[in-house]
Amino acid sequence: MSAIRFVTSEGLPTFLARLSRNSRVLAPVVKDSPKPSVMFEPWRESMPVILKKATVPPKDAVLPQCESLFVYKKSKNADNPENVALHLDDTAHATPTVIFACRPCDARGFAVLDHPFLDGQFVDPYYKARRERLAVITITCSSGCNTCFCHWVGGGPTSPEGSDVLMTEIDDGFVLQSITDVGQKLLDATDLSDGKDAFPKVEAARKAAWTSLVPAPDIKKAPQNIAALFNRESFWQKHASSCLSCGACTYFCPSCYCFNITDEGDGFDKNGGRRLRSWDNCMSSLFTREASGHNPRTMKAIRMRNRISHKFSAYPRNWGNFSCSGCGRCIGNCPVCLDIRDIVQDAVAVADSDV
Amino acid sequence: MPVMEGKELRIVGFLCNWCSYGSADTAGVARAWQPTDLRIIRVPCSGRVDPLFIVKSLLNGADGVLVAGCHPRDCHYSAGNFYARRRLEVLKRFLPVLGINDARFEYTWISASEGQRWQQMVTSFTNRIHALGPAPRFENATPLPKVVGMALPPSSRPLGTGKNAPLDDLKQGIKEKLPDLECVIGWQRGYDGVHTAPLFMKIPEDVEKLVWGPFNVANPAVYLPKFKGKKVGIVVKGCDSRSVVELLQEHLVAREDVTIFALPCQGTLDMSRVKEKLGRYTVVDNVVCDETEVIITVDGKKHRLPMNDFAQVKCRLCTKPMAVFADTPLGESPEVEIATHVPPELALLDAMNLDERMAYWSGQITRCLRCYACRNACPMCVCRDYCVSDSRDPRWMTQEADVTQKLFFQAIHALHLAGRCTGCGECQRACPVGIPILALRQQIARTVEELFDDYRAGFDPAAVPPLLSYEVEEKSIREREWK
Amino acid sequence: MRIGVFICHCGSNIAGTVDCTKVAEIAKKFPDVVYTAEPMYTCAEPGQTAMEDAIHEYRLDGVVVASCSPRMHEATFRRTVERAGLNRYMFEMANIREHVSWIGKEKDANTNKAAELVEIAVAKLRNNRPLTAKTFDVTKKVLIAGGGVAGIQSALDCADGGVPVILVERESTIGGKMAKLDKTFPTVDCSACILGPKMVDVAQHPNITLHAYSEIEDVSGYVGNFSVKIRKLATYVDWEKCTGCGVCSEKCPSKKTPDAFNEFTGTTTAVSISFPQAIPKKAVINARHCRQLTKGKCGVCAKFCPTGAIDYAMQDSIVTEEVGCIIAATGYDLMDWTVYREYGGGAYPDVITSLQYERLLSSSGPTGGHLIRPSDGGEPQNVVFVQCVGSRDKSIGRPQCSAFCCMYTAKQAVLTKEHLPESQSYVFYMDIRAPGKMYDEFTRRAMEEYGVEYIRGRVSAIYPDGLGQYVVMGSDTLLGEPVEIKADLVVLAVGIEAARGTRALAEKLRISYDKSGFFMESHVKLKPVETNTAGVFLAGVCQGAKDIPASVAQGSAAAAKVMALFARDKLENNPQIAFVDLRRCVGCGKCIRCCPFGAIKEKDIRGETKAQVIETVCQGCGLCTSTCPQGAAQLSHATDNQILAEVNALCR
Amino acid sequence: MNYAYYPGCSTQGASTDYEKSTRAVCAALGMNLVELPEWNCCGSTPAHAVDTELSAALCVRNLDIAARQESETLLTPCPSCLSNLKHAAKRMQNPEARARVNELLDNPAASEFPAVTSVMQGMAAHLDAKEIASRTRKSLSALTFAPYYGCLMSRPAEIMKFGDPENPTLMESLLTACSATVLDFPLKTACCGASYGIPERSMTARLSARILQLATDMKVDAIVVACPLCQMNLDLRQPQAEKAADTRFAMPVLYFTQALGLAFGFSPDTLGLEKLRVSADSLLRKLGTGAANAAGSR
């Protein structure tokens, strides 16, 4: 039986303060700017938290924009300058972290990332260290939105996947429901009052959320249909003609995890040499440019094919589900309003009509 | 090897091989005592000094940077220092907008015989830097939490929805020319009624999808260079046409290859404000335009958006609602009141002191994810796949996600746009996290205007961009006045 | 890499204020440094030998020498490492003498700074690449622009030395300004008599091809291999047929044509030969005054020409010459003195320029050498000479001295007395500049033997007195009094400027020019004949004001430079030049627009426009590198990465 | 059309004839001169030599009055006043100077001042030559004039903006519009020596004599001037100049407004011709106009 707790809106700061005793708490906050954005930031006393969907998903908590895989230092002996000593530190640094008030789509992103980083033949130690120290408190959505399509891809406004705690807003506060053991422990460690009585209200709110959605089309055939279109360049060209090849889709995607590895600095530097892992963007021409200068994906259409195929065909074949949680950020962020939903639907339809 | 802790500050000098390096030698031969802070990097010519070397130095811990070259007209390479003078002056006026004290950077001319002058120069510059103290660093700045709201400047003309624009005539015009063209770039309805997406018209049926109105925010000129060598048409707003002019100027498209279709623009919407106004919604029920407002109904709720309140800032300041030139212009260009208002993004910075600006940028730039939407949406960012920001040779930047790297990229972008930026604002519009980066380009555009006879990019395809030319006697540059 | 660092003591020059041992200790810890040494004198033979030995013994593939300025010994050490088998560019210098030990007294700070300069050098060296020079052929032919006395001298010297010469002259005759002079100082011998024979030699020399009435249209190429397009202006007279008989000119009805050769002191005919000794002695039609060409009817000259040389349909033509060197000898023009409103601004007929006066004195001039006032033809009694009109006058932006006016003014005053013994000459001067051989003696004679009255002071105004004379107001600064002189004729010693079109030519030749438009020499003192463009040399006043003997001397000097260059069969380029990474290049042409040498051209590579460096033309300034936004254009030995390595060593 | 008008002190005493003729001619041209209320000295000769800021403050006070009247143009007949007013306006563009001058004033000066210009330029801008010609009642074709501007009117060129500083021609255009013959007078901008009128009278006499001599040699009927000080030197002090040159000139020296006034048909009294030290009767006879009441007697 999961733990169910209740917190009033006014009680949230106390709750967050309690959480941040043992962990870094990442909570959404509005960044002031002509075009305001909502970012996850480590919670501090009196930081005004906003419960809006964040502009950038909290993926950074497990897969930072840039991290040092290892740092090395070189030193020389003045008596024999040819003799260089090397010291290498490859500790995986991880801080216990609670993500507060991400959305179900964000949380599902972690579930997507877990497969390649934890489940395959190779376990990524850096990811693992962070993931194991992570707890996710998700706030369920009260309605759909113009760019979201979580319910197309197997999720929904109240989907619990990837979450440790689900939080739902009701008229006078929030009900928190643990989903996992981690969540249960997390709630148990707080002094929040019991919320069982309010749970019917929660169920009503969740149901209302679902009914607000525009019905989803059937894209179950996407994996095979997209694969069937692999060699149809014209299809991809049509859908990529307006693409600018930037990373406004991938870098903001809760489930994109491509990275690049570069070496920076020198062992003799004060800061040492660093092997960096940083986000990479499959829509960029550089993504596949080889050292020789050759590039198998010079055309953006082919890069678009890669992105769509990976999310809706290759990944599902490997891991079962789409590597897309339908958050819609790639649509809303795209400077030229490219819509991944159109591409997927079109792929399903075009390939179907071929048969 | 650090500077002498507590005694020296980090001062970097870029000296041309022929005159100024020689003057430092002459000073040495004359045993002219100098402070020990300066470290000299020898370059062939002051024209070789990319302003970005200076920005990089200053962002990465230099407390002062001094560039010296041959006196004007004495350049070993005839004109290197003339170009350097323009570029370095632009840089000098750019640094403060980042929050870097421009007194930390100086450039000067000195001949190989002027050893004594070199001694004075090094001494006075070093004293100046010591008086300023160690340079504050971005990574240590406390981010400025609150940004003051920006006042909207008065509009240069009545803004409207363009509902009466002769769209049908335009469609007809496009259809007539379409057979000779690879395609015509325009706008079509996007994923819902309040968004448009680029449209590439190839067949007459495509032309029917063309839309015109306040949702046509994207600048279609960004696609033009890809069509180099092919016949292509483009539908433009006035601002977009300035980008086309710049591309023509840089020979990235040929005039004979591009057919320009134009309608007078009455303004486009600031989509971030529209988004705020509409809030989270599921379905757009209806979009209706009357002359001056857009009425949007979402999820059954009606919102009125007067253009005067919801247009992009650049539309309020627009001086060119109609294309600079077009092959098929339709409609009359509205009367525009030419007033020079400082764009609000820039006015905001103007009102801050250097420390505040540094804090402002460190607060804003942190959330940059280096997605490069700003760069890729910029019609003048023609390097594309070979941008120096993500190359190893040359290797200007690392992949590190720190404030200096992120800000340095913005400096690269802004300086590479010097004299080329038309202020279309696509960089800032494209930024998913709303970093007000346009201000950096605006500062450079303002500087270019001040220095080079009110030069504004994007009006004359035959103009020589000011940073690619020089005057022997510069009217507005007084580089010799510092001592 | 395996880098060796040599910290030179330079006796006590460096070691006196820098702890060299400590610098060497620190340097040992720099990346890739495997060897350090502290020679007493690295540049001395033992020092160089030790370096060569160390390179062999420690298998060094890069060397840093921390010593004096690279401007002193970079070339020396490059040769040293080359002898030891390294590429000469795998070498860097740290200047720890001029920039450290000689300018700072604190040993700690100096040592620290020296070590850091070594660190920068090592950082740079780690990014260095071997570079090799390329060789190319030389076209042993010279083009000389300008047929004044300097150009004539260069042409004759080169031609005598066996070098084929292409002489290009803008006017219809060579001779330049000297041909217009009546007499020359200080000997007062006839200008035409001494210049004439040289002009004839030019015409007759088998090695000289003369293009008169021609202009330089375009210059491309580089030292050893210039290609020059010459625009031969339409003369409307077929010079192959013209014998210079002058019948056309005699018969021409358009007699009011302004006479440029006579400085507009008289008139000539629309078809004419500028003066009797002209070379080539060929007629030219002035198209703006020819009735046939302006109104379409006349044709008198064509009718009378005994050889049928008149060709009214003639067009400009272009000839291209391939040459290895170019000598610019384009001379000067008088500045526009009418900016001096206080001298009447050109409104008074009897206020004339010294060159006009020269034509009035000349027996081949419009008056046949009879000295008269232009306004009424009367003989002037009082002649006032005003010096420094447009020279040494900052108020009109001409601070420079025109160098020869003092002397010719004295000469003209002397000639005035000889022509009109009853006349009285006055000279307003600032200083008398007579530094040449027999010059000062000559001005003294003017004063003492010819009674010329020299008044030290400037003239503030000249105005007609309403009674037929001019009042020349000035001050006598020796007496401290204002002076007023009634003059019948006023001769202005008008300052000179570079000949019209000089700036355009400079741009074609890619050389620089100073404020007055004179070409810039490569070094004010040590390279007065060379320019910064290899293979382009200067002769005569185009480089700066000078008199006839100095122009002749520079003409010969330029010829010597040409012949020295042509003594080699192959030339070698400097490998420190730009190159373009074709993958990065988007063909935007910004580098082409900026390059001061025209050393980058567009090239079509697989259907895409790309920039390409012309290796023999590039001088290695690196402007393209700092201009190219993609970092596609890179300057060898000063690439972005090399300079960034230095910046990163200092700032991080 | 209304024009703010700053008469300057000379017009109140030594050159009331200039003032009278200026007002008469302006009225005839349809220019309504609105005298600045409570104007003060422009700070000429003594003040500007002693204290530039105080002298500027004096001018600025006048400029400020004009600014508050919201006039577009401020006219003054006297070149010395004009020069001071223009210099003061220029000086006020420097924020530091402005601050110091403001300290001297009761209230800070207006941020912008109306354009200051000479009456002569004001007339030329007001009506073109053709229109001026159309107002001529009496042709001056019988008369030959030497136009004399003096040293101040056109200098320094960048401040006074009076055309070619060595060879202004505005007066010529006004007078030729009235059919007078106007010679190209080479000394039109030469110094009359006014500045040394008190300390070194002999120099003034010599400089004035040169001007008078040239005009005499050029056989003009009169010298026409635009400056009260020049007029005084050439006219009132003509005997001194004659003594210095040891000759007799008897050269009438008129204000250009007087010459124009004659052409417009005003009586000599209206134009104050009686104030001339050297009688203008010879001119009037040539024109066929009656002599002035109390023409200057010699």
Side-chain angles (χ1 to χ4, degrees), chain A residues 65 251, chain B residues 368-372 389 397-400 405-406:
Chain A
Q65 192 185 341
Y251 283 9
Chain B
C368 168
L369 297 187
R370 298 180 72 172
C371 74
Y372 292 126
S389 65
M397 291 180 62
T398 75
Q399 289 299 314
E400 272 141 333
Q405 291 296 323
K406 292 170 176 178

Side-chain angles (χ1 to χ4, degrees), chain A residues 73-225:
Chain A
K73 291 204 170 186
K74 286 180 181 173
S75 52
K76 287 214 289 192
N77 181 345
D79 298 333
N80 180 7
E82 300 205 36
N83 188 358
V84 178
L86 179 71
H87 175 258
L88 188 140
D89 176 8
D90 63 351
T91 320
H93 298 278
T95 319
T97 300
V98 176
I99 292 171
F100 175 75
C102 68
R103 297 291 173 134
C105 49
D106 298 339
R108 285 192 81 222
F110 295 120
V112 170
L113 300 183
D114 286 346
H115 288 307
F117 283 104
L118 300 177
D119 297 349
Q121 204 175 345
F122 304 100
V123 172
D124 186 282
Y126 307 95
Y127 182 89
K128 184 162 181 268
R130 292 197 193 89
R131 189 66 174 101
E132 281 171 350
R133 288 167 181 76
L134 180 74
V136 181
I137 303 176
T138 303
I139 182 163
T140 60
C141 298
S142 58
S143 67
C145 86
N146 60 331
T147 49
C148 307
F149 58 108
C150 46
H151 57 305
W152 295 27
V153 291
T158 63
S159 161
E161 255 178 297
S163 303
D164 296 301
V165 173
L166 269 191
M167 174 169 130
T168 301
E169 186 169 13
I170 54 172
D171 29 342
D172 48 354
F174 302 88
V175 173
L176 294 98
Q177 173 194 12
S178 70
I179 303 295
T180 61
D181 289 349
V182 171
Q184 175 118 24
K185 279 189 199 126
L186 186 137
L187 290 183
D188 286 348
T190 65
D191 48 8
L192 296 183
S193 60
D194 192 82
K196 281 198 191 71
D197 296 348
F199 205 70
K201 282 188 185 169
V202 169
E203 283 174 323
R206 292 183 184 177
K207 202 171 166 197
W210 277 92
T211 50
S212 77
L213 304 179
V214 177
D218 181 3
I219 57 165
K220 278 202 279 299
K221 283 196 231 157
Q224 53 273 34
N225 284 20

Side-chain angles (χ1 to χ4, degrees), chain B residues 95-136:
Chain B
L95 291 173
V97 79
L98 288 173
I100 298 174
N101 191 339
D102 59 347
R104 295 190 181 275
F105 162 58
E106 206 54 78
Y107 65 99
T108 189
W109 317 124
I110 189 155
S111 82
S113 57
E114 296 175 308
Q116 203 175 6
R117 206 171 95 83
W118 173 252
Q119 177 196 29
Q120 288 163 4
M121 199 84 72
V122 174
T123 309
S124 76
F125 188 67
T126 308
N127 288 345
R128 183 206 283 186
I129 300 303
H130 276 271
L132 292 169

Side-chain angles (χ1 to χ4, degrees), chain C residues 59-266:
Chain C
R59 292 176 290 116
L60 304 179
D61 53 11
V63 169
V64 169
V65 174
S67 59
C68 51
S69 170
R71 288 161 57 93
M72 177 78 81
H73 274 317
E74 190 171 54
T76 314
F77 295 131
R78 278 181 175 169
R79 283 194 296 271
T80 312
V81 301
E82 203 164 47
R83 276 199 303 277
L86 298 191
N87 181 280
R88 57 165 65 191
Y89 294 98
M90 298 308 287
F91 165 79
E92 286 297 326
M93 269 181 100
N95 184 347
I96 61 167
R97 192 178 76 176
E98 282 84 345
H99 292 187
V100 180
S101 72
W102 279 353
I103 58 163
K105 293 172 203 143
E106 281 178 62
K107 204 161 186 172
D108 278 357
N110 279 1
T111 305
N112 179 63
K113 181 176 178 183
E116 203 166 19
L117 294 184
V118 172
E119 189 182 6
I120 302 173
V122 169
K124 161 96 195 295
L125 177 62
R126 294 177 77 209
N127 286 275
N128 282 12
R129 298 285 172 270
L131 304 171
T132 41
K134 295 195 173 130
T135 58
F136 53 95
D137 293 328
V138 184
T139 307
K140 294 188 178 177
K141 212 179 195 188
V142 63
L143 181 136
I144 297 169
V149 68
I152 289 172
Q153 187 64 41
S154 291
L156 291 174
D157 287 352
C158 286
D160 287 346
V163 173
V165 175
I166 313 294
L167 179 60
V168 180
E169 169 56 52
R170 178 165 59 193
E171 306 299 335
S172 62
T173 173
I174 59 170
K177 293 286 185 292
M178 189 176 169
K180 297 189 180 191
L181 306 183
D182 178 36
K183 303 280 191 315
T184 56
F185 60 79
T187 45
V188 200
D189 46 357
C190 162
S191 186
C193 312
I194 56 175
L195 182 65
K198 278 184 178 289
M199 291 166 64
V200 173
D201 285 350
V202 167
Q204 293 177 346
H205 205 296
N207 275 344
I208 299 179
T209 310
L210 173 61
H211 294 289
Y213 213 57
S214 298
E215 289 178 350
I216 290 181
E217 179 85 357
D218 183 45
V219 180
S220 59
Y222 48 91
V223 57
N225 293 282
F226 290 107
S227 177
V228 185
K229 282 197 183 122
I230 300 163
R231 175 176 290 272
K232 293 184 76 86
L233 302 170
T235 55
Y236 307 99
V237 177
D238 183 345
W239 282 7
E240 296 288 318
K241 295 179 183 161
C242 176
T243 59
C245 68
V247 168
C248 52
S249 181
E250 277 167 34
K251 301 291 181 190
C252 177
S254 183
K255 307 237 184 259
K256 288 268 168 78
T257 304
D259 188 352
F261 185 80
N262 279 325
E263 295 287 315
F264 307 103
T265 50

Side-chain angles (χ1 to χ4, degrees), chain B residues 316-358:
Chain B
R316 308 181 73 86
L317 299 174
C318 176
T319 57
K320 203 75 202 154
M322 188 65 184
V324 176
F325 50 78
D327 299 287
T328 53
L330 288 163
E332 291 292 306
S333 177
E335 288 275 311
V336 175
E337 192 185 315
I338 307 283
T340 44
H341 290 285
V342 178
E345 294 94 336
L346 191 52
L348 187 71
L349 281 152
D350 283 350
M352 295 184 196
N353 64 31
L354 290 171
D355 292 339
E356 286 166 341
R357 288 178 202 166
M358 188 172 264

